[in-house]
């Protein structure tokens, strides 16, 4: 069993807020992250897949294909976008890094299986000081 | 003559656009950076000051004071904000990294002189692949 | 289950030595790390907590509170200090990175539970080439 | 149980290809990585060992010894070398990062046990965007 | 006057040697860098251009165009290649980082002028510990 | 004219204080950096030399020799040491990063000239947020 990780990046705007909270409540719970005029990040995404090395090719998965899949299904939809307003797979969801990591898992799990590997971890950095990891359950 | 650099960071939303351009023209000139729904970055700011080492203290400038100045005059006004809409010293200015670096220079040059040093360079990273430097002229 | 990591930093002096060893024995076992005049590091600390996303807030733990906790219980007591001489929770302990990581675990485990999450890992970098991880057992 | 990681680096040339494939097939499967004139990388290697802290020394393993072992058994044989042509422990093996990580595991597992610890993970970065991890099974 | 830097990367093989030296002399002068079987690096290239901010666009140069230029004229010709054997603009030149940085300058200086800016610096990292800078004279 | 930079590292303890100040005055001026029990850093040192590329060797300076010089004259004397107490070339000097950078310049300027290049810059990082540069005047 070998684990392979591919890093991709995207820059996006977002805010933390709940529609069922008043502005005051949003500010109290989420602080400056709830700014109605948005703020943004350079997100770093690490997708880890696992599986057996293919005896035919000598590797587990074609990294070009993995990178292409992550771009088409994830980063092209997030890059230079507003996560709250414009990202189909985040529609109706809370735009925290935690929820985003879980949504990215849903977005690519089946496609990675189709490439012959298993999705192991979605790791998402919001800044140099904060990141989340999701293992699918 | 010694040069001292302090790094500070801020996360903000912005877009590139000109009010006197049509939406089509903005898209043509600025591409996805003109997205009307905004995008954002983790900006890294490097402020370099220069001067003679103070024989009394053994250093050029008190880094705590320099950091406090940069936060009050620059990063507190930018962090978790929308650069186009909410930053007083960027009002009416184009929200590119180039223009922002020049505006930051104006914002702190006199105060750094008051601390006993000269501002030498404002370096501003928009991403790991792009940064600008401004030397005041 | 989601995993969230917060990075904090501190600069400290230390030395590796045992009071029950002679100077020669300390030098033989610990090398230059046993220098009686101390040396020091910029330590990087990564605290990983785990738990379920709170349906009320959309995240697992308030990162501001997590950061505040780490500072009060850990980094404020270590930053610009001598680990062998001045850090209450290291009193009588060997000042290696391994032992420090385990002591940091003890220092915050209960408080993180009180915030509604479980401590998962204490990762401590002593330099760009060396780090330790402790999972509580 | 504590986990300790040591980073070492090496620069090497390699290519991805199978002798039983035609040039066209190699190019089709491995793309530009199959260039017959070679290309190369600055590899970063992270060796993680695990075990109990030694009550005599206060640490799990002597990092100087661990570093010396990794250099003698691994990086001295790879640094400034051609992985396909000159590395004894890669002879007859496919020169992918996956296979190289597994071969490094074989190369040091027993020696780390002799130092009093267990090898936990071989992590090998080929670039800032790609890395593999191997846990021995 | 503003300075803008774009980072691009390439992975390549090379060796240091002179055809007019014997193998022994090459080994004596260039050490393991003269290995006849090649070695390689992940090179990081920083291209800095300078000029006045364009009042029409609000920036100095279109970074998309700058990136495209660097790729076409420089990194596409170097990536996954052997610098000694396959790079047209290095033909007959010594494959050191110094000479490569100077050759990259020649390769893009005129094209950057055509984009409306002046080339200021070519900075080329061979590893995390070594880099060269060339300013055109 | 080409500029070449070599990075070296050292870990050391220090404190900021003046013997002619009272403890109170030291604390007032230098804050926690004056802790009488010391603190420490992982220092990163970047030595930049400049000169013409040697037509005989194809490079400006032998990096192995440059690295050896920096280690013998600078980092071996600082690594795992107390800068205030144990470093001959810092004897009687204030242990700030500014003064240390200037002392390192004096320590290697003549030797670099003997290697056939000119010392251009001593850059010294005390942390990821603070660094100084000295150009010899």
């Amino acid at each position: 069993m070998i684990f392979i990780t591919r890093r991709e990046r995207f820059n996006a705007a977002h805010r933390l807020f709940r529609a069922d909270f008043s502005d005051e409540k949003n500010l109290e719970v989420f602080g400056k992250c709830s700014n109605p005029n948005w703020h943004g990040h350079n997100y770093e995404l690490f997708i880890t897949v696992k599986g057996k090395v293919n005896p035919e090719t000598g590797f587990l998965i074609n990294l070009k294909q993995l990178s292409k899949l992550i771009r088409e299904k994830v980063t092209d939809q997030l890059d230079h976008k507003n996560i709250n307003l414009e990202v189909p797979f985040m529609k109706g969801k809370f735009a925290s890094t935690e929820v985003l990591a879980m949504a990215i898992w849903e977005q690519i799990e089946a496609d990675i299986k189709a490439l012959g590997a298993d999705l192991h971890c979605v790791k998402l950095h919001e800044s140099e000081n904060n990141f989340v990891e999701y293992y699918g359950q």
Side-chain angles (χ1 to χ4, degrees), chain A residues 33 46 61 124:
Chain A
C33 296
F46 295 82
I61 194 174
L124 185 57

Side-chain angles (χ1 to χ4, degrees), chain A residues 2-8 45-50 53-54 57-72 75 111-112 115-119:
Chain A
I2 197 99
F3 297 74
I4 301 184
T5 300
R6 174 72 191 173
R7 184 182 77 121
E8 299 286 345
L45 175 64
F46 295 82
I47 299 295
T48 302
V49 302
K50 63 184 174 189
V53 170
N54 182 333
T57 60
F59 50 67
L60 162 60
I61 194 174
N62 186 315
L63 272 175
K64 278 275 177 304
Q65 288 181 302
L66 177 58
S67 174
K68 186 162 173 284
L69 165 63
I70 301 170
R71 291 183 190 210
E72 284 175 5
T75 56
D111 292 286
I112 283 171
L115 288 179
D118 287 313
L119 181 55

Side-chain angles (χ1 to χ4, degrees), chain A residues 58 80 86 103:
Chain A
H80 284 76
E86 298 179 295

Side-chain angles (χ1 to χ4, degrees), chain A residues 36-98:
Chain A
N37 287 315
W38 320 100
H39 66 285
H41 297 290
N42 301 340
Y43 290 90
E44 275 192 286
L45 175 64
F46 295 82
I47 299 295
T48 302
V49 302
K50 63 184 174 189
K52 297 247 179 299
V53 170
N54 182 333
E56 169 85 4
T57 60
F59 50 67
L60 162 60
I61 194 174
N62 186 315
L63 272 175
K64 278 275 177 304
Q65 288 181 302
L66 177 58
S67 174
K68 186 162 173 284
L69 165 63
I70 301 170
R71 291 183 190 210
E72 284 175 5
K73 288 307 204 61
V74 182
T75 56
D76 284 355
Q77 297 187 46
L78 285 159
D79 191 39
H80 284 76
K81 291 283 164 45
N82 185 308
I83 299 173
N84 299 69
L85 303 179
E86 298 179 295
V87 180
F89 69 82
M90 286 297 286
K91 194 167 183 149
K93 293 185 174 163
F94 186 68
S96 68
T97 311
E98 293 88 323

